[in-house]
Short mmCIF file of all heavy atoms in Angstrom, two decimals:
data_model
loop_
_atom_site.label_atom_id
_atom_site.label_comp_id
_atom_site.label_asym_id
_atom_site.label_seq_id
_atom_site.Cartn_x
_atom_site.Cartn_y
_atom_site.Cartn_z
N MET A 1 3.87 10.88 -4.28
CA MET A 1 4.81 10.03 -4.94
C MET A 1 4.09 8.91 -5.84
O MET A 1 3.09 8.29 -5.32
CB MET A 1 5.67 9.33 -3.87
CG MET A 1 6.58 8.27 -4.52
SD MET A 1 7.68 7.47 -3.41
CE MET A 1 9.04 8.59 -3.39
N LYS A 2 4.39 8.90 -7.07
CA LYS A 2 3.82 7.92 -8.01
C LYS A 2 5.00 7.13 -8.61
O LYS A 2 5.96 7.72 -9.04
CB LYS A 2 2.95 8.63 -9.02
CG LYS A 2 2.25 7.69 -10.01
CD LYS A 2 1.39 8.36 -10.95
CE LYS A 2 0.54 7.43 -11.84
NZ LYS A 2 1.17 6.23 -12.25
N ILE A 3 4.76 5.87 -8.55
CA ILE A 3 5.84 4.94 -9.04
C ILE A 3 5.37 4.29 -10.42
O ILE A 3 4.19 3.91 -10.51
CB ILE A 3 6.10 3.84 -8.12
CG1 ILE A 3 6.43 4.47 -6.76
CG2 ILE A 3 7.23 2.94 -8.61
CD1 ILE A 3 6.55 3.44 -5.61
N VAL A 4 6.34 4.22 -11.34
CA VAL A 4 6.07 3.47 -12.53
C VAL A 4 7.20 2.41 -12.71
O VAL A 4 8.36 2.77 -12.58
CB VAL A 4 6.06 4.42 -13.78
CG1 VAL A 4 5.86 3.60 -15.02
CG2 VAL A 4 4.96 5.41 -13.64
N VAL A 5 6.83 1.15 -13.02
CA VAL A 5 7.86 0.17 -13.32
C VAL A 5 7.75 -0.28 -14.73
O VAL A 5 6.65 -0.32 -15.33
CB VAL A 5 7.72 -1.07 -12.31
CG1 VAL A 5 7.95 -0.62 -10.86
CG2 VAL A 5 6.41 -1.81 -12.50
N ASP A 6 8.87 -0.51 -15.39
CA ASP A 6 8.99 -0.96 -16.67
C ASP A 6 9.25 -2.53 -16.66
O ASP A 6 10.41 -2.85 -16.46
CB ASP A 6 10.01 -0.21 -17.51
CG ASP A 6 10.00 -0.56 -18.97
OD1 ASP A 6 9.53 -1.65 -19.32
OD2 ASP A 6 10.56 0.25 -19.77
N GLU A 7 8.26 -3.35 -16.89
CA GLU A 7 8.42 -4.81 -16.80
C GLU A 7 9.40 -5.22 -17.95
O GLU A 7 10.07 -6.38 -17.89
CB GLU A 7 7.14 -5.50 -16.89
CG GLU A 7 6.18 -5.24 -15.73
CD GLU A 7 4.86 -6.01 -15.94
OE1 GLU A 7 4.76 -6.79 -16.80
OE2 GLU A 7 3.97 -5.79 -14.98
N GLU A 8 9.50 -4.46 -19.09
CA GLU A 8 10.36 -4.92 -20.20
C GLU A 8 11.71 -4.66 -19.79
O GLU A 8 12.65 -5.54 -20.27
CB GLU A 8 10.04 -3.92 -21.44
CG GLU A 8 8.60 -4.06 -21.99
CD GLU A 8 8.27 -5.57 -22.45
OE1 GLU A 8 9.17 -6.03 -23.20
OE2 GLU A 8 7.28 -6.06 -22.04
N LYS A 9 12.06 -3.76 -18.94
CA LYS A 9 13.49 -3.55 -18.60
C LYS A 9 13.86 -4.40 -17.34
O LYS A 9 15.07 -4.72 -17.29
CB LYS A 9 13.66 -2.07 -18.14
CG LYS A 9 13.62 -1.03 -19.23
CD LYS A 9 13.97 0.35 -18.55
CE LYS A 9 13.98 1.46 -19.59
NZ LYS A 9 14.14 2.78 -18.99
N CYS A 10 12.98 -4.75 -16.61
CA CYS A 10 13.22 -5.53 -15.29
C CYS A 10 14.01 -6.79 -15.65
O CYS A 10 13.62 -7.56 -16.55
CB CYS A 10 11.97 -5.85 -14.56
SG CYS A 10 12.17 -6.85 -13.20
N VAL A 11 15.12 -7.04 -14.97
CA VAL A 11 15.86 -8.23 -15.13
C VAL A 11 15.66 -9.29 -13.89
O VAL A 11 16.57 -10.18 -13.74
CB VAL A 11 17.31 -7.92 -15.46
CG1 VAL A 11 17.49 -7.27 -16.73
CG2 VAL A 11 17.90 -7.18 -14.18
N ALA A 12 14.65 -8.98 -13.07
CA ALA A 12 14.34 -9.90 -12.04
C ALA A 12 15.40 -10.06 -10.92
O ALA A 12 15.55 -11.11 -10.42
CB ALA A 12 13.88 -11.27 -12.57
N ALA A 13 16.09 -9.00 -10.80
CA ALA A 13 17.23 -8.97 -9.77
C ALA A 13 16.76 -9.00 -8.34
O ALA A 13 17.41 -9.48 -7.41
CB ALA A 13 18.14 -7.85 -10.01
N GLY A 14 15.55 -8.48 -8.11
CA GLY A 14 14.98 -8.47 -6.82
C GLY A 14 15.48 -7.49 -5.77
O GLY A 14 15.08 -7.46 -4.59
N GLN A 15 16.23 -6.53 -6.22
CA GLN A 15 16.89 -5.59 -5.41
C GLN A 15 15.74 -4.70 -4.79
O GLN A 15 15.83 -4.16 -3.65
CB GLN A 15 18.02 -4.75 -5.98
CG GLN A 15 19.07 -5.56 -6.66
CD GLN A 15 20.00 -6.21 -5.66
OE1 GLN A 15 19.56 -6.62 -4.71
NE2 GLN A 15 21.22 -6.20 -6.09
N CYS A 16 14.80 -4.35 -5.61
CA CYS A 16 13.75 -3.49 -5.18
C CYS A 16 12.91 -4.15 -4.09
O CYS A 16 12.47 -3.47 -3.10
CB CYS A 16 12.82 -3.11 -6.38
SG CYS A 16 12.11 -4.63 -7.19
N VAL A 17 12.73 -5.38 -4.12
CA VAL A 17 11.96 -6.01 -3.04
C VAL A 17 12.75 -6.07 -1.70
O VAL A 17 12.11 -5.85 -0.65
CB VAL A 17 11.67 -7.60 -3.51
CG1 VAL A 17 10.80 -8.28 -2.45
CG2 VAL A 17 10.91 -7.55 -4.80
N VAL A 18 14.02 -6.12 -1.77
CA VAL A 18 14.80 -6.11 -0.60
C VAL A 18 14.74 -4.66 0.00
O VAL A 18 14.64 -4.44 1.20
CB VAL A 18 16.27 -6.40 -0.82
CG1 VAL A 18 17.18 -6.15 0.32
CG2 VAL A 18 16.38 -7.87 -1.28
N ALA A 19 14.80 -3.66 -0.84
CA ALA A 19 14.88 -2.31 -0.37
C ALA A 19 13.32 -1.85 0.10
O ALA A 19 13.36 -1.04 1.11
CB ALA A 19 15.29 -1.31 -1.51
N ALA A 20 12.46 -2.21 -0.52
CA ALA A 20 11.08 -1.69 -0.21
C ALA A 20 10.07 -2.81 -0.37
O ALA A 20 9.14 -2.89 -1.30
CB ALA A 20 10.65 -0.54 -1.09
N PRO A 21 10.02 -3.77 0.53
CA PRO A 21 9.12 -5.00 0.41
C PRO A 21 7.58 -4.65 0.52
O PRO A 21 6.83 -5.44 0.17
CB PRO A 21 9.51 -5.86 1.58
CG PRO A 21 10.30 -4.95 2.52
CD PRO A 21 10.82 -3.85 1.68
N ASP A 22 7.33 -3.50 1.04
CA ASP A 22 5.87 -3.08 1.14
C ASP A 22 5.34 -2.60 -0.30
O ASP A 22 4.14 -2.46 -0.43
CB ASP A 22 5.65 -1.99 2.17
CG ASP A 22 5.88 -2.43 3.56
OD1 ASP A 22 5.72 -3.68 3.82
OD2 ASP A 22 6.21 -1.66 4.38
N VAL A 23 6.31 -2.28 -1.11
CA VAL A 23 5.88 -1.62 -2.32
C VAL A 23 6.14 -2.58 -3.55
O VAL A 23 5.36 -2.48 -4.55
CB VAL A 23 6.69 -0.33 -2.61
CG1 VAL A 23 6.27 0.33 -3.82
CG2 VAL A 23 6.41 0.65 -1.36
N PHE A 24 7.17 -3.41 -3.52
CA PHE A 24 7.55 -4.27 -4.70
C PHE A 24 7.49 -5.69 -4.27
O PHE A 24 7.84 -6.03 -3.10
CB PHE A 24 8.88 -3.89 -5.11
CG PHE A 24 9.11 -2.46 -5.54
CD1 PHE A 24 9.78 -1.54 -4.70
CD2 PHE A 24 8.61 -2.07 -6.83
CE1 PHE A 24 9.88 -0.21 -5.07
CE2 PHE A 24 8.82 -0.67 -7.13
CZ PHE A 24 9.42 0.24 -6.27
N ASP A 25 7.07 -6.49 -5.24
CA ASP A 25 7.14 -7.93 -5.05
C ASP A 25 7.64 -8.43 -6.52
O ASP A 25 7.85 -7.73 -7.38
CB ASP A 25 5.72 -8.51 -4.72
CG ASP A 25 5.90 -9.86 -4.13
OD1 ASP A 25 6.96 -10.55 -4.07
OD2 ASP A 25 4.81 -10.43 -3.74
N GLN A 26 7.87 -9.79 -6.52
CA GLN A 26 8.28 -10.38 -7.82
C GLN A 26 7.21 -11.51 -8.16
O GLN A 26 6.72 -12.26 -7.30
CB GLN A 26 9.70 -10.93 -7.63
CG GLN A 26 10.76 -9.96 -7.55
CD GLN A 26 12.09 -10.59 -7.28
OE1 GLN A 26 12.46 -10.92 -6.19
NE2 GLN A 26 12.83 -10.75 -8.44
N ARG A 27 7.04 -11.69 -9.40
CA ARG A 27 6.06 -12.74 -9.96
C ARG A 27 6.76 -14.07 -9.63
O ARG A 27 8.04 -14.25 -9.78
CB ARG A 27 5.94 -12.65 -11.44
CG ARG A 27 5.17 -11.41 -11.84
CD ARG A 27 4.48 -11.60 -13.21
NE ARG A 27 5.52 -11.87 -14.32
CZ ARG A 27 5.59 -11.13 -15.40
NH1 ARG A 27 4.75 -10.14 -15.61
NH2 ARG A 27 6.44 -11.38 -16.28
N ASP A 28 6.00 -15.06 -9.13
CA ASP A 28 6.53 -16.34 -8.81
C ASP A 28 7.20 -17.07 -9.98
O ASP A 28 8.18 -17.73 -9.81
CB ASP A 28 5.40 -17.30 -8.22
CG ASP A 28 4.95 -16.87 -6.87
OD1 ASP A 28 5.73 -16.12 -6.24
OD2 ASP A 28 3.86 -17.20 -6.54
N GLU A 29 6.57 -16.91 -11.22
CA GLU A 29 7.03 -17.64 -12.31
C GLU A 29 8.29 -17.23 -12.94
O GLU A 29 9.13 -17.97 -13.40
CB GLU A 29 5.87 -17.80 -13.35
CG GLU A 29 5.43 -16.46 -13.94
CD GLU A 29 4.35 -15.73 -13.14
OE1 GLU A 29 4.15 -15.95 -11.92
OE2 GLU A 29 3.54 -15.07 -13.80
N ASP A 30 8.56 -15.88 -12.91
CA ASP A 30 9.71 -15.48 -13.51
C ASP A 30 10.52 -14.38 -12.81
O ASP A 30 11.49 -13.91 -13.41
CB ASP A 30 9.40 -15.00 -15.05
CG ASP A 30 8.35 -13.86 -15.06
OD1 ASP A 30 7.99 -13.38 -13.91
OD2 ASP A 30 7.96 -13.59 -16.19
N GLY A 31 9.97 -13.97 -11.75
CA GLY A 31 10.73 -12.96 -10.95
C GLY A 31 10.60 -11.47 -11.33
O GLY A 31 11.23 -10.63 -10.84
N ILE A 32 9.81 -11.26 -12.39
CA ILE A 32 9.59 -9.93 -12.80
C ILE A 32 8.90 -9.08 -11.76
O ILE A 32 8.02 -9.67 -11.07
CB ILE A 32 8.80 -9.94 -14.17
CG1 ILE A 32 9.64 -10.57 -15.27
CG2 ILE A 32 8.51 -8.45 -14.61
CD1 ILE A 32 10.94 -9.94 -15.58
N VAL A 33 9.31 -7.92 -11.71
CA VAL A 33 8.70 -7.02 -10.61
C VAL A 33 7.16 -6.92 -10.65
O VAL A 33 6.67 -6.79 -11.77
CB VAL A 33 9.42 -5.63 -10.67
CG1 VAL A 33 9.04 -4.89 -11.91
CG2 VAL A 33 8.98 -4.79 -9.42
N VAL A 34 6.62 -6.86 -9.49
CA VAL A 34 5.16 -6.57 -9.36
C VAL A 34 5.05 -5.31 -8.38
O VAL A 34 5.54 -5.31 -7.37
CB VAL A 34 4.42 -7.76 -8.60
CG1 VAL A 34 2.88 -7.29 -8.43
CG2 VAL A 34 4.43 -9.00 -9.54
N LEU A 35 4.38 -4.35 -8.91
CA LEU A 35 4.24 -3.08 -8.12
C LEU A 35 2.90 -3.31 -7.19
O LEU A 35 1.84 -3.38 -7.71
CB LEU A 35 4.04 -1.91 -9.02
CG LEU A 35 3.96 -0.52 -8.32
CD1 LEU A 35 5.16 -0.21 -7.59
CD2 LEU A 35 3.79 0.60 -9.51
N LEU A 36 3.22 -3.28 -5.88
CA LEU A 36 2.11 -3.52 -5.02
C LEU A 36 1.34 -2.20 -4.67
O LEU A 36 0.16 -2.29 -4.32
CB LEU A 36 2.64 -4.06 -3.71
CG LEU A 36 3.38 -5.50 -3.79
CD1 LEU A 36 3.95 -5.80 -2.43
CD2 LEU A 36 2.50 -6.51 -4.24
N ASP A 37 2.02 -1.08 -4.73
CA ASP A 37 1.45 0.13 -4.30
C ASP A 37 2.09 1.31 -5.14
O ASP A 37 3.22 1.59 -5.02
CB ASP A 37 1.58 0.36 -2.87
CG ASP A 37 0.94 1.59 -2.30
OD1 ASP A 37 0.37 2.36 -3.13
OD2 ASP A 37 0.95 1.82 -1.13
N GLU A 38 1.32 1.74 -6.16
CA GLU A 38 1.95 2.79 -6.98
C GLU A 38 1.87 4.19 -6.42
O GLU A 38 2.42 5.05 -6.94
CB GLU A 38 1.19 2.78 -8.45
CG GLU A 38 -0.25 3.16 -8.34
CD GLU A 38 -0.81 3.30 -9.82
OE1 GLU A 38 -0.19 2.78 -10.73
OE2 GLU A 38 -1.95 3.91 -9.96
N ASN A 39 1.10 4.33 -5.30
CA ASN A 39 1.14 5.60 -4.62
C ASN A 39 1.43 5.34 -3.16
O ASN A 39 0.51 5.51 -2.27
CB ASN A 39 -0.24 6.28 -4.74
CG ASN A 39 -0.46 6.80 -6.14
OD1 ASN A 39 0.17 7.71 -6.61
ND2 ASN A 39 -1.38 6.22 -6.81
N PRO A 40 2.66 4.95 -2.83
CA PRO A 40 2.98 4.56 -1.43
C PRO A 40 2.97 5.82 -0.49
O PRO A 40 3.18 7.02 -0.91
CB PRO A 40 4.33 4.08 -1.47
CG PRO A 40 4.94 4.69 -2.73
CD PRO A 40 3.76 4.79 -3.70
N PRO A 41 2.63 5.67 0.71
CA PRO A 41 2.65 6.74 1.72
C PRO A 41 3.99 7.28 1.96
O PRO A 41 5.04 6.62 1.67
CB PRO A 41 2.10 6.02 3.02
CG PRO A 41 2.50 4.56 2.96
CD PRO A 41 2.39 4.38 1.43
N PRO A 42 4.03 8.61 2.47
CA PRO A 42 5.33 9.30 2.56
C PRO A 42 6.41 8.53 3.39
O PRO A 42 7.46 8.63 3.17
CB PRO A 42 4.95 10.53 3.26
CG PRO A 42 3.46 10.82 2.80
CD PRO A 42 2.87 9.48 2.66
N ARG A 43 5.94 7.76 4.36
CA ARG A 43 6.90 7.00 5.27
C ARG A 43 7.69 6.00 4.44
O ARG A 43 8.72 5.60 4.88
CB ARG A 43 6.03 6.40 6.41
CG ARG A 43 5.22 5.25 5.96
CD ARG A 43 4.44 4.61 7.18
NE ARG A 43 3.48 3.63 6.73
CZ ARG A 43 3.80 2.44 6.40
NH1 ARG A 43 4.97 1.97 6.47
NH2 ARG A 43 2.83 1.51 5.95
N LEU A 44 7.21 5.66 3.23
CA LEU A 44 7.96 4.74 2.38
C LEU A 44 8.77 5.34 1.40
O LEU A 44 9.47 4.71 0.55
CB LEU A 44 7.01 3.66 1.79
CG LEU A 44 6.20 2.78 2.79
CD1 LEU A 44 5.21 1.89 2.05
CD2 LEU A 44 7.14 1.93 3.59
N ALA A 45 8.70 6.60 1.36
CA ALA A 45 9.41 7.44 0.23
C ALA A 45 10.94 7.13 0.15
O ALA A 45 11.47 6.82 -0.94
CB ALA A 45 9.21 8.84 0.31
N GLY A 46 11.56 6.96 1.32
CA GLY A 46 13.07 6.72 1.31
C GLY A 46 13.36 5.33 0.81
O GLY A 46 14.24 5.07 0.17
N ASP A 47 12.43 4.41 1.23
CA ASP A 47 12.73 2.99 0.78
C ASP A 47 12.47 2.94 -0.75
O ASP A 47 13.27 2.18 -1.45
CB ASP A 47 11.63 2.07 1.49
CG ASP A 47 11.93 1.87 2.89
OD1 ASP A 47 12.94 2.27 3.35
OD2 ASP A 47 11.07 1.08 3.64
N VAL A 48 11.52 3.62 -1.26
CA VAL A 48 11.31 3.64 -2.71
C VAL A 48 12.39 4.19 -3.44
O VAL A 48 12.80 3.68 -4.50
CB VAL A 48 9.87 4.18 -2.98
CG1 VAL A 48 9.74 4.40 -4.56
CG2 VAL A 48 8.75 3.42 -2.33
N ARG A 49 12.90 5.36 -2.99
CA ARG A 49 14.03 5.94 -3.71
C ARG A 49 15.30 5.08 -3.67
O ARG A 49 16.07 4.96 -4.64
CB ARG A 49 14.34 7.29 -3.08
CG ARG A 49 13.22 8.34 -3.31
CD ARG A 49 13.56 9.82 -2.87
NE ARG A 49 12.37 10.58 -2.76
CZ ARG A 49 11.76 11.01 -3.90
NH1 ARG A 49 12.18 10.82 -5.08
NH2 ARG A 49 10.67 11.71 -3.75
N GLN A 50 15.40 4.39 -2.53
CA GLN A 50 16.58 3.40 -2.39
C GLN A 50 16.32 2.30 -3.47
O GLN A 50 17.25 1.84 -4.11
CB GLN A 50 16.61 2.81 -0.99
CG GLN A 50 17.55 1.76 -0.78
CD GLN A 50 19.07 2.25 -0.84
OE1 GLN A 50 19.30 3.44 -0.81
NE2 GLN A 50 19.97 1.34 -1.03
N ALA A 51 15.14 1.80 -3.54
CA ALA A 51 14.90 0.72 -4.55
C ALA A 51 15.17 1.17 -5.91
O ALA A 51 15.76 0.46 -6.72
CB ALA A 51 13.30 0.35 -4.45
N ALA A 52 14.74 2.37 -6.34
CA ALA A 52 15.03 2.88 -7.67
C ALA A 52 16.45 3.03 -7.89
O ALA A 52 16.95 2.75 -8.98
CB ALA A 52 14.28 4.25 -7.90
N ALA A 53 17.19 3.44 -6.88
CA ALA A 53 18.65 3.67 -7.02
C ALA A 53 19.42 2.37 -7.16
O ALA A 53 20.43 2.30 -7.94
CB ALA A 53 19.16 4.40 -5.71
N VAL A 54 18.98 1.31 -6.59
CA VAL A 54 19.74 0.04 -6.57
C VAL A 54 19.31 -0.83 -7.77
O VAL A 54 19.91 -1.87 -7.97
CB VAL A 54 19.62 -0.75 -5.31
CG1 VAL A 54 20.25 0.08 -4.15
CG2 VAL A 54 18.27 -1.16 -4.87
N CYS A 55 18.18 -0.60 -8.41
CA CYS A 55 17.72 -1.38 -9.50
C CYS A 55 18.69 -1.42 -10.66
O CYS A 55 19.01 -0.36 -11.27
CB CYS A 55 16.39 -0.89 -10.12
SG CYS A 55 15.83 -1.83 -11.55
N PRO A 56 19.26 -2.53 -10.95
CA PRO A 56 20.35 -2.61 -12.00
C PRO A 56 19.89 -2.30 -13.33
O PRO A 56 20.61 -2.03 -14.24
CB PRO A 56 21.04 -3.99 -11.79
CG PRO A 56 19.74 -4.75 -11.22
CD PRO A 56 19.09 -3.91 -10.42
N ALA A 57 18.52 -2.44 -13.51
CA ALA A 57 18.02 -2.25 -14.89
C ALA A 57 17.36 -0.89 -15.05
O ALA A 57 16.89 -0.54 -16.15
CB ALA A 57 16.92 -3.34 -15.08
N LEU A 58 17.37 -0.05 -14.06
CA LEU A 58 16.73 1.27 -14.09
C LEU A 58 15.26 1.17 -14.57
O LEU A 58 14.81 1.90 -15.28
CB LEU A 58 17.58 2.25 -14.93
CG LEU A 58 19.01 2.48 -14.68
CD1 LEU A 58 19.68 3.40 -15.61
CD2 LEU A 58 19.18 3.04 -13.22
N ALA A 59 14.73 0.27 -13.96
CA ALA A 59 13.31 -0.08 -14.35
C ALA A 59 12.22 0.59 -13.47
O ALA A 59 11.04 0.54 -13.76
CB ALA A 59 13.05 -1.60 -14.24
N ILE A 60 12.72 1.30 -12.48
CA ILE A 60 11.77 2.03 -11.54
C ILE A 60 11.93 3.48 -11.78
O ILE A 60 12.97 4.07 -11.58
CB ILE A 60 12.14 1.66 -10.10
CG1 ILE A 60 12.02 0.13 -9.94
CG2 ILE A 60 11.18 2.42 -9.16
CD1 ILE A 60 12.52 -0.41 -8.64
N SER A 61 10.79 4.18 -12.15
CA SER A 61 10.74 5.55 -12.25
C SER A 61 9.77 6.13 -11.07
O SER A 61 8.79 5.55 -10.81
CB SER A 61 10.11 6.00 -13.63
OG SER A 61 10.81 5.44 -14.70
N ILE A 62 10.22 7.30 -10.62
CA ILE A 62 9.40 7.86 -9.64
C ILE A 62 8.94 9.32 -10.16
O ILE A 62 9.85 10.04 -10.56
CB ILE A 62 10.25 8.22 -8.31
CG1 ILE A 62 10.65 6.84 -7.70
CG2 ILE A 62 9.43 9.05 -7.25
CD1 ILE A 62 11.65 7.00 -6.64
N GLU A 63 7.69 9.52 -10.09
CA GLU A 63 7.12 10.82 -10.56
C GLU A 63 6.49 11.37 -9.31
O GLU A 63 5.59 10.84 -8.69
CB GLU A 63 5.98 10.54 -11.63
CG GLU A 63 6.49 9.85 -12.88
CD GLU A 63 5.39 9.42 -13.70
OE1 GLU A 63 4.26 9.73 -13.46
OE2 GLU A 63 5.78 8.80 -14.82
N ASP A 64 7.01 12.57 -9.02
CA ASP A 64 6.54 13.22 -7.69
C ASP A 64 5.20 13.61 -7.73
O ASP A 64 4.51 13.81 -8.69
CB ASP A 64 7.48 14.32 -7.35
CG ASP A 64 8.82 13.76 -6.86
OD1 ASP A 64 8.87 12.84 -6.03
OD2 ASP A 64 9.89 14.31 -7.32
S1 SF4 B 1 15.45 -4.36 -8.81
FE1 SF4 B 1 14.85 -3.70 -10.93
S2 SF4 B 1 15.39 -5.45 -12.18
FE2 SF4 B 1 15.44 -6.15 -10.00
S3 SF4 B 1 13.32 -6.99 -9.83
FE3 SF4 B 1 13.25 -4.78 -9.14
S4 SF4 B 1 12.61 -3.73 -10.91
FE4 SF4 B 1 13.21 -5.67 -11.61
#
């Protein structure tokens, strides 16, 4: 699993951090998403797919 985030689309909603806190964080200054792990282990795949599904800006892409 490879993850790509689009910082230009991100609206700093933080839903991804709630869904997958091991993979996503937010910048302190403006809340824009920070990708902690672009190749997360399989055990986190469900969390990551959930994060992508709930992101209101569709800023998270998953490339298998
Ligand atoms: S859920 Fe989407 S819009 Fe919100 S911080 Fe994460 S990437 Fe950005």
Side-chain angles (χ1 to χ4, degrees):
M1 168 178 273
K2 183 174 187 317
I3 305 170
V4 176
V5 295
D6 187 339
E7 294 181 4
E8 299 295 316
K9 287 185 181 173
C10 176
V11 294
Q15 306 288 41
C16 55
V17 181
V18 174
D22 291 334
V23 180
F24 302 100
D25 199 356
Q26 290 176 277
R27 294 201 299 234
D28 287 338
E29 59 271 30
D30 56 11
I32 296 298
V33 66
V34 175
L35 185 58
L36 300 175
D37 185 352
E38 66 175 11
N39 290 295
R43 66 181 174 81
L44 295 178
D47 289 353
V48 171
R49 292 190 195 284
Q50 175 69 13
V54 297
C55 174
L58 301 179
I60 301 169
S61 303
I62 298 170
E63 301 171 2
D64 288 314

